[in-house]
Amino acid sequence: ILFEGGLSLRFRDIRATRGVVLRLVTVGLAVTWLLVALAAYYLLGLSIEMATLLGALLTVSGPTVIIPLVRNIHLNRRIGSIVKWEGIVNDPIGAVAAALVFNSFFGHGAASEEHWLWGLGVTLLVGVGLGAAAAWLLVVMLRRFWVPDYLQSSVVLASVLLLFVVSNSLQRESGLVTVTLMGIILANQQIATVKHVIEFKENLSVLLISALFIVLAANVDVRLSEIASLGWGTIAYLAALILVIRPSAVFVATWGTELEMRERILLAWIHPRGIVAAAVASLLALELAETPFAREAEKFVLIMFLTIVTTVVVYGLTLAPLARRLRLASPDPQGILFAGASLLVRDIAVALKEEGISVVAVDTNHQNVAAARMAGLNVHFASVGSEFVRDEIELGDIGRLLAMTPNDEVNTLAAMEFAEQFGRREVYQLAAAEPDHERRDRVPAYRRGRTLFRRDATYQMLADRHTAGSIIKKTQLSGNFTLKSFLDHHGPNAIVLFLVDAAGKLSVRATDDATTTKSYRKVIALVDPTPVAKDPQ
């Protein structure tokens, strides 16, 4: 799970905010450790040793929770990257810190006498050394095709498990550092492609997380009476964890940085704990069962799971409304990314912009780009499949792709590129130049985006219509003048492009749209320049 998290981290995402991330995983982590330990000692009544152990372990975050949250609420790129980096980097650090505290306070023999600073140094040395060496070896293997494509995911998975075991055998708990660093290095190298490995690991992680939470929770043998016996101190501790400790850690760590106040507020309201905290707590409890701290160990695990449940529920239910209020997220982004900036696309984009819809266009034709800029559009000279579009253009309020270039292959490649980011439901492309029944499909249907507007609405047909004088027309609809009335009025040549409902939500017209009786307040269509009669407004 940590390896897959490392694979999602890109240095380019935090190019301007790497100082903030560094502060959060150092200063912020230390403040969290100290304050959690104090809260556990005074509010939960734990011993100094157990309170220190709990503080170390609760410095971890929950990337298994954070990443889906960031993805679902569509945080803007800068704050989303910071949250993701902090959550993933904190996990191995917190787990290693908990292991060092355990060895110092509860270990036996030589392990208990080992100086914690020496242990930390050895852990980092083994973790960083093995992680970097293993990542380099995997890159060489993939780059030189020593492993067949169909075995690459399995070989990478086996390598992760092997390196985890080898690293832990050399230095306890260093395996977490090793696998996380392996993932980060593989994600940021430019020599070998690992996209198919990332897809495999994402699917595997979902299955593992689902199973692990059930298995770990099943090991917690508690009754409601035991939870009630924890008393008001537990409620005060949970409240302090969310309302005092996390905000204090964030504001101390980000003091004097370039972050805006609203970004600091959002960071202060996102720190759920997840599977790493649960797994490490369960493991430590098994070892503590053989020590004089066995009674406290049961309370330790119970508090940990209460913390996980509480933080996930509170942050999960409130983060999206807060992010919207702070204007840092677009939960249902209505904006459109256009592949292509031809005259027709420019007129469509202008019409959408007038409706308050964010539009971004990319094109490799200098004349189209210049004309789009003259029309006041946000346009970039770039290939739609380039890293520049994915990494440099702010797409926080963009939720759809409309591939409308003259080249059907380019449109298909654009749809494939953005299917993961926007979801296949929100990826569209124009119909191919030839009717389906007269040709063999050049690419499988599942690789293409949804077909825009109508099955006969090819680029050439739309361009010819537009050149001949057809216009982009916006018409208000009502109970007396419905969409059917509009189509009857303009005849079969009218091509419905978009519909706007009463809430202002934009619907892109596609050939696979299910028949609906939903009422709309506005239609945007391509119509002939001389209608039979004037539309009622």
Side-chain angles (χ1 to χ4, degrees):
I1 293 168
L2 288 180
F3 174 70
E4 189 269 325
L7 282 173
S8 68
L9 299 180
R10 302 287 190 277
F11 288 122
R12 58 177 177 260
D13 293 340
I14 57 165
R15 191 174 301 154
T17 56
R18 56 182 178 272
V20 176
V21 174
L22 183 61
R23 287 193 184 193
L24 286 171
V25 299
T26 52
V27 177
L29 185 143
V31 173
T32 301
W33 188 345
L34 174 63
L35 295 182
V36 171
L38 290 174
Y41 180 74
Y42 287 106
L43 298 177
L44 297 175
L46 294 179
S47 63
I48 293 178
E49 295 88 349
M50 292 298 294
T52 305
L53 181 62
L54 184 67
L57 188 51
L58 284 183
T59 58
V60 306
S61 186
T64 54
V65 182
I66 285 177
I67 292 177
L69 273 177
V70 170
R71 184 179 298 169
N72 289 337
I73 68 177
H74 297 277
L75 281 178
N76 72 26
R77 178 171 291 169
R78 182 163 87 157
I79 194 68
S81 298
I82 293 173
V83 169
K84 188 165 60 173
W85 266 87
E86 182 202 9
I88 294 172
V89 173
N90 265 357
D91 268 15
I93 296 176
V96 169
L100 293 174
V101 170
F102 180 85
N103 287 338
S104 299
F105 290 155
F106 310 103
H108 302 284
S112 62
E113 298 170 2
E114 182 182 24
H115 194 278
W116 70 269
L117 190 58
W118 169 258
L120 178 61
V122 175
T123 299
L124 292 177
L125 181 64
V126 172
V128 171
L130 275 181
W136 174 81
L137 181 59
L138 282 174
V139 168
V140 171
M141 293 170 62
L142 297 176
R143 178 67 179 86
R144 298 186 178 181
F145 305 103
W146 290 352
V147 181
D149 288 353
Y150 70 94
L151 287 179
Q152 286 183 2
S153 294
S154 301
V155 168
V156 171
L157 175 61
S159 301
V160 170
L161 297 176
L162 174 64
L163 265 294
F164 179 80
V165 173
V166 170
S167 185
N168 275 353
S169 67
L170 295 175
Q171 175 65 20
R172 190 173 183 178
E173 303 306 334
S174 64
L176 298 176
V177 179
T178 299
V179 297
T180 304
L181 186 64
M182 282 176 62
I184 294 174
I185 293 175
L186 286 175
N188 289 278
Q189 54 82 32
Q190 302 294 325
I191 301 174
T193 178
V194 293
K195 186 174 182 179
H196 56 297
V197 176
I198 294 174
E199 293 172 352
F200 171 73
K201 294 297 181 292
E202 285 179 344
N203 294 331
L204 183 61
S205 291
V206 171
L207 295 175
L208 288 175
I209 293 165
S210 303
L212 278 174
F213 266 122
I214 295 172
V215 171
L216 293 174
N219 285 331
V220 182
D221 185 16
V222 295
R223 299 176 180 83
L224 291 177
S225 58
E226 295 179 19
I227 297 177
S229 68
L230 293 176
W232 290 101
T234 303
I235 298 176
Y237 152 78
L238 293 172
L241 192 67
I242 295 173
L243 300 176
V244 178
I245 296 175
R246 175 59 178 177
S248 300
V250 167
F251 280 93
V252 169
T254 60
W255 182 265
T257 65
E258 69 273 21
L259 290 186
E260 300 175 12
M261 179 56 68
R262 60 194 181 112
E263 293 174 319
R264 298 171 72 191
I265 292 173
L266 187 69
L267 278 176
W269 196 254
I270 178 169
H271 201 223
R273 275 62 173 189
I275 196 67
V276 172
V280 176
S282 298
L283 176 62
L284 295 179
L286 291 176
E287 306 234 6
L288 288 169
E290 306 300 325
T291 70
F293 296 88
R295 290 280 300 174
E296 277 193 294
E298 297 178 4
K299 186 177 181 180
F300 174 83
V301 175
L302 179 56
I303 291 170
M304 182 61 65
F305 274 88
L306 284 176
T307 300
I308 292 171
V309 172
T310 302
T311 55
V312 169
V313 170
V314 170
Y315 293 131
L317 293 178
T318 60
L319 185 62
L322 177 63
R324 288 198 299 268
R325 186 70 178 266
L326 296 173
R327 300 189 303 279
L328 291 172
S330 303
D332 185 18
Q334 297 289 296
I336 293 177
L337 171 64
F338 285 97
S342 63
L343 177 59
L344 173 65
V345 172
R346 296 197 297 270
D347 284 354
I348 292 175
V350 168
L352 292 174
K353 185 179 178 181
E354 292 172 350
E355 294 297 313
I357 304 296
S358 297
V359 293
V360 176
V362 294
D363 203 316
T364 54
N365 184 297
H366 284 285
Q367 293 180 340
N368 287 342
V369 171
R373 285 180 181 151
M374 291 294 293
L377 297 174
N378 182 4
V379 62
H380 300 270
F381 179 75
S383 170
V384 70
S386 66
E387 290 188 357
F388 172 82
V389 175
R390 296 194 305 272
D391 303 331
E392 302 297 333
I393 299 178
E394 178 57 55
L395 299 176
D397 53 357
I398 302 297
R400 303 178 176 97
L401 168 77
L402 268 61
M404 299 181 65
T405 75
N407 190 311
D408 184 59
E409 280 72 25
V410 171
N411 292 339
T412 300
L413 289 173
M416 292 169 59
E417 181 68 29
F418 285 91
E420 179 182 355
Q421 181 170 348
F422 297 145
R424 294 188 63 239
R425 179 179 179 179
E426 301 297 349
V427 173
Y428 306 83
Q429 71 180 93
L430 291 174
E434 302 89 356
D436 290 345
H437 64 275
E438 293 182 6
R439 67 176 175 88
R440 293 178 182 269
D441 285 337
R442 296 172 188 167
V443 292
Y446 70 87
R447 295 189 183 277
R448 298 176 59 85
R450 298 173 66 186
T451 303
L452 276 170
F453 312 141
R454 288 193 336 202
R455 295 193 183 279
D456 62 340
T458 65
Y459 176 87
Q460 195 60 51
M461 185 269 267
L462 293 173
D464 290 344
R465 286 273 309 273
H466 195 239
T467 302
S470 294
I471 58 173
I472 306 298
K473 184 175 181 60
K474 294 185 287 186
T475 303
Q476 294 286 346
L477 301 177
S478 65
N480 296 325
F481 191 78
T482 63
L483 178 60
K484 184 178 183 303
S485 305
F486 173 85
L487 294 175
D488 291 341
H489 180 76
H490 286 280
N493 286 335
I495 301 177
V496 176
L497 309 178
F498 308 96
L499 293 164
V500 182
D501 64 17
K505 184 175 181 179
L506 185 77
S507 296
V508 180
R509 197 68 164 176
T511 58
D512 58 356
D513 283 336
T515 303
T516 177
T517 57
K518 183 177 180 179
S519 60
Y520 296 95
R521 67 175 178 85
K522 184 173 290 187
V523 57
I524 302 175
L526 181 71
V527 300
D528 290 335
T530 309
V532 177
K534 185 178 180 181
D535 284 341
Q537 296 295 326

